[in-house]
């Protein structure tokens, strides 16, 4: 098997937590296991600047670029060319894999990579409408960036339909590869469940898009109808005040617990305390939370939006329309099924989920995409510009051409040989530094 | 293998097909323009008339300001006109809204507080921006008026902004009168007049009034004003309605659910 050097580029990575971050980390781990070389590039997080190593020697570059808006860098296109080019050369990267449509760094990295005649793959993790101005703008930007991308990956079929529409990519160039869940981490444990009451768990960021307004309607009604039902809510966000207010107003302090933000490694403990998992999202490309919950053996009640219907088989999920009354009905049905003993054994569910989703399978399928992209011909600058022309924004050609000129200038002023030489020198300095430290430690003790 | 169909769209089963193949159901749920265009021509005209009305109010205000500052109008007459208009409008308002006695005292209370405070504070208004050059003040005011027009429901705050103009006036009494005029023309009048009259006829009336005043003061301004009014009142709404045909909305399963209570 050919060893390929990959670079994952995204604004979103650890210590930030979320679906994209998890996807990048797990995919990188599996690719490392399969004998490839993977690095991750992201912007700096506070004090975290420079190179860090994670599990299995996953090398992470925290580039010293300031965050501009919403965890993203300012898309200058040009300012970070020297740095990104240097890393690509030094790590001898073959394929660049950008993640998330919102990540400016991913688009910048892919642009620079393509101009350096590398191959690019892009994974879109989100859905977007077409109705409002911000959507129209973002869609145009995505179309520009993807017009020359070698291949796209979407996490669900709905995601693919959406991306094909809004970025105007050929549908043959878009693969559907879902997210997965580390099922070894999310195991069922019935002993932690409460014996005398039914616990409904919600783990999500408490934001508008996750349907917290629905939740605020569901909680009082369910509590009124059932004496022995309690709610356990993990996560934090701007809508927390709403839930707190609902709790105060209905005197439900003893039945609704707000845990605040929960670390990803602790989510399992929260899930294991529950019987039913409730997801109220308004839009979702692929909902990892419901898969994690199902993997812990919970009954899942969820709104029927975006890619959610594709994620779990119908007997593992109660799909309802996104309204308060439908959600209440769904929860009612789950509760009555639980009381009637009409549920599937948690261990059985866990087994099925681990059969459906695992990262190794995902990594294999992603690798097929990589191999296909790797076999494609390298495009000349003219061909690339022609591809950008299709998007119809002529000034962007100037940006691309300018980036190309900057790259050519760098090729002259900092030749490739020097880049690699620098890295060797840097490595030697590092080695010397560490040996000094070790020497120091040993002499002290 | 590439374009063979997948029967079920799910992610948990492996169908044995390449990940990038599509089936017949691709874009099956896509809907175009499912919601009919909700644009009514009359509504657009009324909206434009409101903007036009505000523009002519601004013009009248500026004319009053310039004639106050070059001495063709004395503050006392401005005050008189203001009080007459205010009194007439208030009595009409009382008739249409079935006022009670306690509301009278409330209104009187607000009125006296406003009058006394603005009279006391008008020297401050006058002196506040004295150190700033006149050109800056004019530029700022123009800018503020444009913002005022852009954000139609701007509310109270534009009154204080127009006050920066008062520094170029000869006395504090002038400043006080200008303050009264600005409150009346930008806060009270639009609120009241839209209640009793049709915005389109109201707009026509104010535009012709402004045009008449401009006819006596400046020909260039008159032409510019008439052109802009015509453009805003007729051409803009016509184009807006006509171009609705080109609007194409796409709806599908990826749309964010809308919360309804």
């Amino acid at each position: 098997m050919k060893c390929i050097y990959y670079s994952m580029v995204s604004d979103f990575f650890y210590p930030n937590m979320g679906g994209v971050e998890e996807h990048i980390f797990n995919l990188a781990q599996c690719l490392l296991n399969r004998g490839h070389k993977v690095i991750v590039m992201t912007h700096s997080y506070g004090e975290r600047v420079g190179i860090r190593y994670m599990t299995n020697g996953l090398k992470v570059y925290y580039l010293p670029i300031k965050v501009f808006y919403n965890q993203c860098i300012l898309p200058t296109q040009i300012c970070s060319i020297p740095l990104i080019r240097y890393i690509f050369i030094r790590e001898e990267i073959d394929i660049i894999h950008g993640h998330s449509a919102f990540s400016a760094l991913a688009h910048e990295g892919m642009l620079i990579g393509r101009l350096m005649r590398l191959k690019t793959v892009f994974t879109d993790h989100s859905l977007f409408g077409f109705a409002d101005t911000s959507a129209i703008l973002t869609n145009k930007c995505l179309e520009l960036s993807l017009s020359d991308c070698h291949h796209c990956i979407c996490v669900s079929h709905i995601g693919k339909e959406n991306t094909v529409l809004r970025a105007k990519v050929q549908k043959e160039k878009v693969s559907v590869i879902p997210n997965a869940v580390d099922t070894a981490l999310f195991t069922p444990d019935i002993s932690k469940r409460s014996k005398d009451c039914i616990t409904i768990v919600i783990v999500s960021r408490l934001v508008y898009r996750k349907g917290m307004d629905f939740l605020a309607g569901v909680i009082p009604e369910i509590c009124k109808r059932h004496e022995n039902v309690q709610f356990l809510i993990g996560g934090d966000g701007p809508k927390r005040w709403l839930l707190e207010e609902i709790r105060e107003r209905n005197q439900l302090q003893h039945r609704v617990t707000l845990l605040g933000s929960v670390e990803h490694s602790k989510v399992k403990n929260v899930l294991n305390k529950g019987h039913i998992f409730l997801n109220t999202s308004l839009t979702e490309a692929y909902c990892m939370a419901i898969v994690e919950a199902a993997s812990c053996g919970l009954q899942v009640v969820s709104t029927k939006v975006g890619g959610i219907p594709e994620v779990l088989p119908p007997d593992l999920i109660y799909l309802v329309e996104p309204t308060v009354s439908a959600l209440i009905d769904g929860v009612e049905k789950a509760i009555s099924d639980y009381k009637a003993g009409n549920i599937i054994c948690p261990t059985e569910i866990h087994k099925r989920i681990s059969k459906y989703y695992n990262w190794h399978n995902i990594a294999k399928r992603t690798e097929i995409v990589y191999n296909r992209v790797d076999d494609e011909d390298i495009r000349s600058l003219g061909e690339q510009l022609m591809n950008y022309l299709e998007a119809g924004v002529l000034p962007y050609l100037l940006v691309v051409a300018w980036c190309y000129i900057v790259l050519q200038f760098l090729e002259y002023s900092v030749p490739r040989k020097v880049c690699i030489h620098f890295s060797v020198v840097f490595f030697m300095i590092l080695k010397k530094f560490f040996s000094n430290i070790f020497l120091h430690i040993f002499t002290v003790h | 293998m590439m374009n063979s169909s997948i029967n079920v769209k799910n992610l948990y089963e492996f169908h044995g097909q390449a990940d990038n193949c599509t089936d017949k159901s691709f874009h099956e749920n896509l809907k175009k323009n499912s919601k009919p265009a909700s644009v009514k021509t009359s509504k657009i005209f009324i909206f434009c008339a409101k903007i036009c009305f505000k523009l002519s109010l601004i013009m009248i205000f500026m004319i009053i300001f310039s004639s106050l500052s070059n001495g063709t109008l004395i503050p006392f007459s401005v005050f008189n006109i203001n009080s007459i208009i205010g009194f007439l409008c208030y009595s009409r308002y009382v008739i249409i809204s079935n006022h009670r006695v306690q509301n009278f005292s409330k209104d009187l209370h607000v009125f006296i507080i406003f009058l006394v405070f603005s009279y006391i504070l008008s020297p401050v208004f006058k002196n506040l921006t004295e150190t700033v050059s006149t050109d800056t003040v004019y530029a700022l005011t123009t800018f503020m008026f444009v913002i005022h027009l852009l954000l139609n429901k701007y509310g109270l705050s534009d009154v204080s902004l127009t006050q920066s103009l008062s520094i170029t006036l000869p006395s504090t009494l002038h400043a006080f009168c200008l303050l009264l005029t600005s409150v009346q023309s930008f806060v009270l009048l639009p609120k009241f007049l839209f209640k009793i009259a049709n915005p389109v006829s109201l707009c026509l009336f104010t535009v012709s009034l402004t045009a008449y005043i401009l006819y006596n003061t400046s020909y260039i301004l008159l032409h510019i004003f008439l052109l802009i009014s015509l453009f805003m009142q007729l051409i803009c709404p016509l184009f807006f309605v006509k171009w609705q045909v080109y609007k194409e909305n796409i709806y599908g399963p990826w749309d964010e659910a809308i919360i309804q209570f």
Side-chain angles (χ1 to χ4, degrees), chain A residues 130 160-162 172 174 176 208-209 282 306 310-311 313 356 365 372, chain B residues 9-12 19-22 26-27 30 253-257 259:
Chain A
F130 299 88
K160 175 172 174 175
E161 291 184 15
N162 191 232
E172 291 75 28
V174 185
V176 177
Y208 171 78
R209 278 167 79 96
L282 301 181
E310 302 169 22
V311 174
Y356 296 149
R365 287 162 72 177
R372 187 181 303 141
Chain B
K9 261 190 199 173
N10 63 35
L11 301 167
Y12 47 87
D19 285 320
N20 62 341
C21 69
T22 41
F26 194 69
H27 284 166
L30 173 77
W254 46 80
D255 283 331
E256 201 170 282
I259 297 177

mmCIF file of all heavy atoms in Angstrom, chain A residues 130 160-162 172 174 176 208-209 282 306 310-311 313 356 365 372, chain B residues 9-12 19-22 26-27 30 253-257 259:
data_model
loop_
_atom_site.group_PDB
_atom_site.id
_atom_site.type_symbol
_atom_site.label_atom_id
_atom_site.label_comp_id
_atom_site.label_asym_id
_atom_site.label_seq_id
_atom_site.Cartn_x
_atom_site.Cartn_y
_atom_site.Cartn_z
ATOM 1 N N PHE A 130 -31.193 28.620 1.389
ATOM 2 C CA PHE A 130 -30.925 29.510 0.262
ATOM 3 C C PHE A 130 -31.710 30.806 0.383
ATOM 4 O O PHE A 130 -31.729 31.602 -0.525
ATOM 5 C CB PHE A 130 -31.315 28.820 -1.050
ATOM 6 C CG PHE A 130 -30.554 27.571 -1.306
ATOM 7 C CD1 PHE A 130 -30.999 26.364 -0.828
ATOM 8 C CD2 PHE A 130 -29.363 27.612 -2.000
ATOM 9 C CE1 PHE A 130 -30.285 25.210 -1.045
ATOM 10 C CE2 PHE A 130 -28.637 26.467 -2.220
ATOM 11 C CZ PHE A 130 -29.104 25.259 -1.739
ATOM 12 N N LYS A 160 -25.196 15.989 0.731
ATOM 13 C CA LYS A 160 -24.697 15.976 -0.647
ATOM 14 C C LYS A 160 -25.612 16.780 -1.567
ATOM 15 O O LYS A 160 -25.148 17.602 -2.360
ATOM 16 C CB LYS A 160 -24.589 14.536 -1.142
ATOM 17 C CG LYS A 160 -24.201 14.435 -2.598
ATOM 18 C CD LYS A 160 -23.912 13.020 -3.020
ATOM 19 C CE LYS A 160 -23.666 12.992 -4.518
ATOM 20 N NZ LYS A 160 -23.253 11.688 -5.002
ATOM 21 N N GLU A 161 -26.929 16.544 -1.440
ATOM 22 C CA GLU A 161 -27.870 17.306 -2.273
ATOM 23 C C GLU A 161 -27.690 18.803 -2.045
ATOM 24 O O GLU A 161 -27.698 19.602 -2.976
ATOM 25 C CB GLU A 161 -29.313 16.903 -1.947
ATOM 26 C CG GLU A 161 -29.637 15.495 -2.381
ATOM 27 C CD GLU A 161 -31.084 15.136 -2.144
ATOM 28 O OE1 GLU A 161 -31.908 16.033 -1.920
ATOM 29 O OE2 GLU A 161 -31.397 13.932 -2.182
ATOM 30 N N ASN A 162 -27.515 19.149 -0.780
ATOM 31 C CA ASN A 162 -27.345 20.555 -0.418
ATOM 32 C C ASN A 162 -26.067 21.127 -1.013
ATOM 33 O O ASN A 162 -26.073 22.198 -1.634
ATOM 34 C CB ASN A 162 -27.334 20.652 1.107
ATOM 35 C CG ASN A 162 -27.421 22.072 1.598
ATOM 36 O OD1 ASN A 162 -26.618 22.502 2.395
ATOM 37 N ND2 ASN A 162 -28.387 22.821 1.113
ATOM 38 N N GLU A 172 -20.912 13.746 -9.331
ATOM 39 C CA GLU A 172 -19.970 12.621 -9.304
ATOM 40 C C GLU A 172 -18.757 12.942 -8.450
ATOM 41 O O GLU A 172 -18.020 12.053 -8.041
ATOM 42 C CB GLU A 172 -19.495 12.277 -10.722
ATOM 43 C CG GLU A 172 -20.549 11.667 -11.622
ATOM 44 C CD GLU A 172 -21.549 12.693 -12.110
ATOM 45 O OE1 GLU A 172 -21.176 13.881 -12.224
ATOM 46 O OE2 GLU A 172 -22.715 12.317 -12.348
ATOM 47 N N VAL A 174 -18.857 14.301 -5.578
ATOM 48 C CA VAL A 174 -19.212 14.384 -4.168
ATOM 49 C C VAL A 174 -19.500 12.979 -3.639
ATOM 50 O O VAL A 174 -20.351 12.271 -4.174
ATOM 51 C CB VAL A 174 -20.452 15.267 -3.958
ATOM 52 C CG1 VAL A 174 -20.727 15.447 -2.478
ATOM 53 C CG2 VAL A 174 -20.265 16.609 -4.620
ATOM 54 N N VAL A 176 -20.567 10.470 -0.329
ATOM 55 C CA VAL A 176 -21.238 10.509 0.973
ATOM 56 C C VAL A 176 -20.525 9.535 1.898
ATOM 57 O O VAL A 176 -20.563 8.329 1.691
ATOM 58 C CB VAL A 176 -22.715 10.132 0.840
ATOM 59 C CG1 VAL A 176 -23.371 10.120 2.213
ATOM 60 C CG2 VAL A 176 -23.421 11.106 -0.060
ATOM 61 N N TYR A 208 -29.932 28.304 19.720
ATOM 62 C CA TYR A 208 -31.187 28.346 18.956
ATOM 63 C C TYR A 208 -31.276 27.191 17.964
ATOM 64 O O TYR A 208 -32.297 26.521 17.862
ATOM 65 C CB TYR A 208 -31.284 29.694 18.226
ATOM 66 C CG TYR A 208 -32.424 29.772 17.249
ATOM 67 C CD1 TYR A 208 -33.721 29.993 17.695
ATOM 68 C CD2 TYR A 208 -32.209 29.594 15.881
ATOM 69 C CE1 TYR A 208 -34.768 30.040 16.797
ATOM 70 C CE2 TYR A 208 -33.250 29.642 14.983
ATOM 71 C CZ TYR A 208 -34.523 29.875 15.446
ATOM 72 O OH TYR A 208 -35.556 29.925 14.559
ATOM 73 N N ARG A 209 -30.164 26.968 17.228
ATOM 74 C CA ARG A 209 -30.185 25.954 16.167
ATOM 75 C C ARG A 209 -30.425 24.547 16.692
ATOM 76 O O ARG A 209 -30.779 23.657 15.947
ATOM 77 C CB ARG A 209 -28.874 25.985 15.388
ATOM 78 C CG ARG A 209 -28.829 27.050 14.329
ATOM 79 C CD ARG A 209 -27.408 27.211 13.843
ATOM 80 N NE ARG A 209 -27.035 26.165 12.914
ATOM 81 C CZ ARG A 209 -27.090 26.290 11.587
ATOM 82 N NH1 ARG A 209 -27.525 27.407 11.072
ATOM 83 N NH2 ARG A 209 -26.710 25.309 10.795
ATOM 84 N N LEU A 282 -32.975 21.975 14.983
ATOM 85 C CA LEU A 282 -33.754 22.558 13.890
ATOM 86 C C LEU A 282 -33.174 22.178 12.536
ATOM 87 O O LEU A 282 -33.869 22.133 11.530
ATOM 88 C CB LEU A 282 -33.770 24.082 14.001
ATOM 89 C CG LEU A 282 -34.336 24.675 15.273
ATOM 90 C CD1 LEU A 282 -34.284 26.178 15.196
ATOM 91 C CD2 LEU A 282 -35.748 24.222 15.481
ATOM 92 N N GLY A 306 -33.124 17.599 8.281
ATOM 93 C CA GLY A 306 -31.836 17.379 7.629
ATOM 94 C C GLY A 306 -31.531 15.914 7.410
ATOM 95 O O GLY A 306 -32.352 15.152 6.918
ATOM 96 N N GLU A 310 -31.602 9.584 8.040
ATOM 97 C CA GLU A 310 -30.714 8.608 7.417
ATOM 98 C C GLU A 310 -29.807 7.917 8.421
ATOM 99 O O GLU A 310 -29.174 6.915 8.110
ATOM 100 C CB GLU A 310 -29.814 9.311 6.388
ATOM 101 C CG GLU A 310 -30.556 10.030 5.310
ATOM 102 C CD GLU A 310 -29.632 10.915 4.491
ATOM 103 O OE1 GLU A 310 -28.417 10.661 4.489
ATOM 104 O OE2 GLU A 310 -30.135 11.862 3.867
ATOM 105 N N VAL A 311 -29.721 8.489 9.635
ATOM 106 C CA VAL A 311 -28.645 8.084 10.527
ATOM 107 C C VAL A 311 -28.934 6.766 11.239
ATOM 108 O O VAL A 311 -28.076 5.890 11.323
ATOM 109 C CB VAL A 311 -28.356 9.208 11.544
ATOM 110 C CG1 VAL A 311 -27.344 8.769 12.570
ATOM 111 C CG2 VAL A 311 -27.835 10.433 10.827
ATOM 112 N N PRO A 313 -31.642 3.324 11.980
ATOM 113 C CA PRO A 313 -32.777 2.561 11.444
ATOM 114 C C PRO A 313 -34.051 2.873 12.220
ATOM 115 O O PRO A 313 -33.985 3.225 13.404
ATOM 116 C CB PRO A 313 -32.344 1.115 11.644
ATOM 117 C CG PRO A 313 -31.253 1.153 12.630
ATOM 118 C CD PRO A 313 -30.589 2.467 12.499
ATOM 119 N N TYR A 356 -22.829 -0.765 12.525
ATOM 120 C CA TYR A 356 -23.133 0.243 11.515
ATOM 121 C C TYR A 356 -21.979 1.225 11.310
ATOM 122 O O TYR A 356 -21.632 1.558 10.202
ATOM 123 C CB TYR A 356 -24.375 1.066 11.903
ATOM 124 C CG TYR A 356 -25.654 0.290 11.984
ATOM 125 C CD1 TYR A 356 -26.647 0.678 12.873
ATOM 126 C CD2 TYR A 356 -25.876 -0.805 11.170
ATOM 127 C CE1 TYR A 356 -27.829 -0.014 12.953
ATOM 128 C CE2 TYR A 356 -27.064 -1.507 11.252
ATOM 129 C CZ TYR A 356 -28.040 -1.111 12.149
ATOM 130 O OH TYR A 356 -29.208 -1.789 12.232
ATOM 131 N N ARG A 365 -13.117 4.145 3.492
ATOM 132 C CA ARG A 365 -13.889 4.776 2.417
ATOM 133 C C ARG A 365 -13.275 6.117 2.029
ATOM 134 O O ARG A 365 -13.289 6.500 0.845
ATOM 135 C CB ARG A 365 -15.348 4.958 2.858
ATOM 136 C CG ARG A 365 -16.079 3.633 2.892
ATOM 137 C CD ARG A 365 -17.336 3.689 3.712
ATOM 138 N NE ARG A 365 -18.416 4.432 3.086
ATOM 139 C CZ ARG A 365 -19.626 4.538 3.639
ATOM 140 N NH1 ARG A 365 -19.886 3.966 4.804
ATOM 141 N NH2 ARG A 365 -20.565 5.216 3.034
ATOM 142 N N ARG A 372 -8.407 8.015 -5.466
ATOM 143 C CA ARG A 372 -8.934 8.484 -6.738
ATOM 144 C C ARG A 372 -8.380 9.868 -7.064
ATOM 145 O O ARG A 372 -7.974 10.138 -8.193
ATOM 146 C CB ARG A 372 -10.461 8.539 -6.674
ATOM 147 C CG ARG A 372 -11.078 8.855 -8.017
ATOM 148 C CD ARG A 372 -12.581 8.923 -7.928
ATOM 149 N NE ARG A 372 -13.160 7.697 -7.418
ATOM 150 C CZ ARG A 372 -14.192 7.662 -6.577
ATOM 151 N NH1 ARG A 372 -14.723 8.772 -6.139
ATOM 152 N NH2 ARG A 372 -14.676 6.513 -6.167
ATOM 153 N N LYS B 9 -32.174 5.464 1.103
ATOM 154 C CA LYS B 9 -31.162 6.449 1.471
ATOM 155 C C LYS B 9 -30.884 6.317 2.949
ATOM 156 O O LYS B 9 -31.627 6.856 3.773
ATOM 157 C CB LYS B 9 -31.690 7.843 1.178
ATOM 158 C CG LYS B 9 -31.170 8.388 -0.112
ATOM 159 C CD LYS B 9 -31.534 9.833 -0.224
ATOM 160 C CE LYS B 9 -31.432 10.273 -1.664
ATOM 161 N NZ LYS B 9 -31.921 11.607 -1.851
ATOM 162 N N ASN B 10 -29.907 5.564 3.302
ATOM 163 C CA ASN B 10 -29.493 5.582 4.698
ATOM 164 C C ASN B 10 -27.989 5.455 4.802
ATOM 165 O O ASN B 10 -27.309 5.113 3.829
ATOM 166 C CB ASN B 10 -30.235 4.527 5.508
ATOM 167 C CG ASN B 10 -29.924 3.133 5.036
ATOM 168 O OD1 ASN B 10 -28.809 2.855 4.621
ATOM 169 N ND2 ASN B 10 -30.920 2.266 5.082
ATOM 170 N N LEU B 11 -27.502 5.757 5.948
ATOM 171 C CA LEU B 11 -26.058 5.799 6.118
ATOM 172 C C LEU B 11 -25.540 4.582 6.864
ATOM 173 O O LEU B 11 -24.351 4.327 6.885
ATOM 174 C CB LEU B 11 -25.668 7.067 6.895
ATOM 175 C CG LEU B 11 -26.065 8.381 6.256
ATOM 176 C CD1 LEU B 11 -25.919 9.509 7.247
ATOM 177 C CD2 LEU B 11 -25.210 8.653 5.044
ATOM 178 N N TYR B 12 -26.452 3.822 7.509
ATOM 179 C CA TYR B 12 -25.974 2.745 8.383
ATOM 180 C C TYR B 12 -25.781 1.426 7.661
ATOM 181 O O TYR B 12 -25.194 0.515 8.195
ATOM 182 C CB TYR B 12 -26.926 2.570 9.575
ATOM 183 C CG TYR B 12 -28.384 2.529 9.215
ATOM 184 C CD1 TYR B 12 -28.994 1.343 8.863
ATOM 185 C CD2 TYR B 12 -29.147 3.697 9.234
ATOM 186 C CE1 TYR B 12 -30.334 1.309 8.528
ATOM 187 C CE2 TYR B 12 -30.492 3.671 8.900
ATOM 188 C CZ TYR B 12 -31.080 2.471 8.544
ATOM 189 O OH TYR B 12 -32.393 2.436 8.214
ATOM 190 N N ASP B 19 -19.199 5.484 -3.103
ATOM 191 C CA ASP B 19 -19.795 6.518 -2.265
ATOM 192 C C ASP B 19 -20.283 7.722 -3.061
ATOM 193 O O ASP B 19 -21.073 8.512 -2.575
ATOM 194 C CB ASP B 19 -18.778 6.988 -1.221
ATOM 195 C CG ASP B 19 -18.615 5.957 -0.136
ATOM 196 O OD1 ASP B 19 -19.627 5.368 0.274
ATOM 197 O OD2 ASP B 19 -17.477 5.726 0.298
ATOM 198 N N ASN B 20 -19.754 7.868 -4.284
ATOM 199 C CA ASN B 20 -20.120 9.096 -5.003
ATOM 200 C C ASN B 20 -21.218 8.873 -6.027
ATOM 201 O O ASN B 20 -21.485 9.730 -6.848
ATOM 202 C CB ASN B 20 -18.889 9.710 -5.671
ATOM 203 C CG ASN B 20 -18.299 8.787 -6.693
ATOM 204 O OD1 ASN B 20 -18.557 7.595 -6.673
ATOM 205 N ND2 ASN B 20 -17.508 9.338 -7.598
ATOM 206 N N CYS B 21 -21.871 7.684 -6.010
ATOM 207 C CA CYS B 21 -22.920 7.490 -7.005
ATOM 208 C C CYS B 21 -24.242 8.061 -6.495
ATOM 209 O O CYS B 21 -24.459 8.197 -5.298
ATOM 210 C CB CYS B 21 -23.072 6.028 -7.358
ATOM 211 S SG CYS B 21 -23.745 5.047 -6.046
ATOM 212 N N THR B 22 -25.106 8.388 -7.433
ATOM 213 C CA THR B 22 -26.386 8.976 -7.046
ATOM 214 C C THR B 22 -27.516 8.167 -7.669
ATOM 215 O O THR B 22 -27.318 7.456 -8.648
ATOM 216 C CB THR B 22 -26.506 10.420 -7.550
ATOM 217 O OG1 THR B 22 -25.985 10.465 -8.867
ATOM 218 C CG2 THR B 22 -25.765 11.360 -6.673
ATOM 219 N N PHE B 26 -32.282 11.607 -6.242
ATOM 220 C CA PHE B 26 -31.445 12.774 -5.977
ATOM 221 C C PHE B 26 -32.222 14.049 -6.317
ATOM 222 O O PHE B 26 -32.769 14.177 -7.407
ATOM 223 C CB PHE B 26 -30.179 12.672 -6.814
ATOM 224 C CG PHE B 26 -29.106 13.616 -6.396
ATOM 225 C CD1 PHE B 26 -28.441 13.450 -5.195
ATOM 226 C CD2 PHE B 26 -28.747 14.687 -7.203
ATOM 227 C CE1 PHE B 26 -27.443 14.317 -4.804
ATOM 228 C CE2 PHE B 26 -27.752 15.560 -6.816
ATOM 229 C CZ PHE B 26 -27.103 15.367 -5.609
ATOM 230 N N HIS B 27 -32.287 14.945 -5.353
ATOM 231 C CA HIS B 27 -33.035 16.202 -5.504
ATOM 232 C C HIS B 27 -34.530 15.978 -5.728
ATOM 233 O O HIS B 27 -35.195 16.789 -6.353
ATOM 234 C CB HIS B 27 -32.475 17.047 -6.644
ATOM 235 C CG HIS B 27 -31.195 17.719 -6.247
ATOM 236 N ND1 HIS B 27 -30.346 18.289 -7.136
ATOM 237 C CD2 HIS B 27 -30.623 17.889 -5.036
ATOM 238 C CE1 HIS B 27 -29.300 18.790 -6.504
ATOM 239 N NE2 HIS B 27 -29.445 18.552 -5.223
ATOM 240 N N LEU B 30 -36.618 18.480 -3.695
ATOM 241 C CA LEU B 30 -36.336 19.894 -3.955
ATOM 242 C C LEU B 30 -37.595 20.593 -4.454
ATOM 243 O O LEU B 30 -38.254 20.123 -5.370
ATOM 244 C CB LEU B 30 -35.249 19.979 -5.015
ATOM 245 C CG LEU B 30 -34.917 21.353 -5.548
ATOM 246 C CD1 LEU B 30 -34.061 22.090 -4.545
ATOM 247 C CD2 LEU B 30 -34.192 21.244 -6.858
ATOM 248 N N PRO B 253 -35.196 19.578 2.240
ATOM 249 C CA PRO B 253 -35.105 19.031 3.594
ATOM 250 C C PRO B 253 -33.988 19.666 4.432
ATOM 251 O O PRO B 253 -33.946 19.455 5.641
ATOM 252 C CB PRO B 253 -34.828 17.546 3.373
ATOM 253 C CG PRO B 253 -34.713 17.328 1.935
ATOM 254 C CD PRO B 253 -34.938 18.580 1.212
ATOM 255 N N TRP B 254 -33.087 20.394 3.785
ATOM 256 C CA TRP B 254 -31.979 20.979 4.531
ATOM 257 C C TRP B 254 -32.369 22.294 5.209
ATOM 258 O O TRP B 254 -31.610 22.841 5.976
ATOM 259 C CB TRP B 254 -30.807 21.251 3.590
ATOM 260 C CG TRP B 254 -31.265 21.916 2.350
ATOM 261 C CD1 TRP B 254 -31.547 23.228 2.184
ATOM 262 C CD2 TRP B 254 -31.551 21.277 1.113
ATOM 263 N NE1 TRP B 254 -32.004 23.464 0.925
ATOM 264 C CE2 TRP B 254 -32.011 22.279 0.243
ATOM 265 C CE3 TRP B 254 -31.460 19.966 0.654
ATOM 266 C CZ2 TRP B 254 -32.382 22.008 -1.062
ATOM 267 C CZ3 TRP B 254 -31.831 19.710 -0.638
ATOM 268 C CH2 TRP B 254 -32.288 20.716 -1.490
ATOM 269 N N ASP B 255 -33.580 22.799 4.905
ATOM 270 C CA ASP B 255 -33.980 24.077 5.495
ATOM 271 C C ASP B 255 -34.144 23.961 7.000
ATOM 272 O O ASP B 255 -34.588 22.937 7.510
ATOM 273 C CB ASP B 255 -35.305 24.534 4.886
ATOM 274 C CG ASP B 255 -35.099 25.115 3.510
ATOM 275 O OD1 ASP B 255 -34.003 25.646 3.275
ATOM 276 O OD2 ASP B 255 -36.007 24.998 2.668
ATOM 277 N N GLU B 256 -33.784 25.030 7.657
ATOM 278 C CA GLU B 256 -33.927 25.062 9.107
ATOM 279 C C GLU B 256 -35.408 25.049 9.474
ATOM 280 O O GLU B 256 -36.206 25.767 8.874
ATOM 281 C CB GLU B 256 -33.272 26.338 9.623
ATOM 282 C CG GLU B 256 -32.906 26.290 11.073
ATOM 283 C CD GLU B 256 -32.055 27.486 11.456
ATOM 284 O OE1 GLU B 256 -30.846 27.478 11.148
ATOM 285 O OE2 GLU B 256 -32.599 28.423 12.041
ATOM 286 N N ALA B 257 -35.776 24.208 10.439
ATOM 287 C CA ALA B 257 -37.176 24.176 10.868
ATOM 288 C C ALA B 257 -37.538 25.512 11.508
ATOM 289 O O ALA B 257 -36.704 26.145 12.145
ATOM 290 C CB ALA B 257 -37.381 23.049 11.855
ATOM 291 N N ILE B 259 -39.680 27.639 14.190
ATOM 292 C CA ILE B 259 -40.378 27.409 15.457
ATOM 293 C C ILE B 259 -41.719 28.121 15.433
ATOM 294 O O ILE B 259 -41.779 29.329 15.199
ATOM 295 C CB ILE B 259 -39.521 27.909 16.631
ATOM 296 C CG1 ILE B 259 -38.235 27.092 16.691
ATOM 297 C CG2 ILE B 259 -40.274 27.796 17.932
ATOM 298 C CD1 ILE B 259 -37.281 27.523 17.746
#
